[in-house]
Amino acid sequence: MDVSGVGSSKILKLYNNSNNTNKAVKDSSTKIAKNDSLEISTLGKKLSAYSIDDNFNSSSAKIDAIKNDVKNGTYNIDSKLVAEKIYDQMKERGV
């Protein structure tokens, strides 16, 4: 087996070229991630005013109240209630 044609300089050159290619791919993927966007249709916006039970609700008022509670450090979550709701949803779906 003759490996005299492979020198350390060739190996380092190949390694450096592959690193530069990987950096270019990473840079381009971060640029793509910054350009992502989401648009909600007008129908979707109208539907957001309804709850699951077809009742109107003031979601913006609820969201503002929760944001204020979180900001003030007074937002408390009842873990038992959350667990009950998760369990009920799982029973309904047959999971």
Side-chain angles (χ1 to χ4, degrees):
M1 179 197 257
D2 184 22
V3 290
S4 60
V6 179
S8 61
S9 62
K10 287 184 180 181
I11 293 172
L12 288 174
K13 198 180 281 188
L14 287 172
Y15 178 75
N16 287 333
N17 285 342
S18 69
N19 277 345
N20 290 337
T21 304
N22 289 341
K23 287 179 185 176
V25 169
K26 287 179 185 176
D27 290 341
S28 66
S29 67
T30 56
K31 289 178 185 175
I32 291 170
K34 291 180 182 178
N35 293 331
D36 291 344
S37 65
L38 174 71
E39 292 184 31
I40 300 174
S41 67
T42 54
L43 176 62
K45 290 175 184 177
K46 289 178 183 176
L47 290 174
S48 70
Y50 292 98
S51 69
I52 295 173
D53 300 328
D54 292 332
N55 296 326
F56 286 101
N57 59 13
S58 176
S59 61
S60 61
K62 287 182 183 180
I63 291 171
D64 290 339
I66 291 172
K67 282 182 181 180
N68 287 333
D69 288 346
V70 170
K71 184 192 275 186
N72 296 332
T74 58
Y75 183 69
N76 295 319
I77 300 171
D78 184 3
S79 58
K80 289 182 182 180
L81 182 61
V82 171
E84 278 181 25
K85 295 294 182 179
I86 291 172
Y87 180 73
D88 291 343
Q89 288 294 319
M90 290 175 66
K91 278 190 347 185
E92 285 179 17
R93 294 181 182 170
V95 177

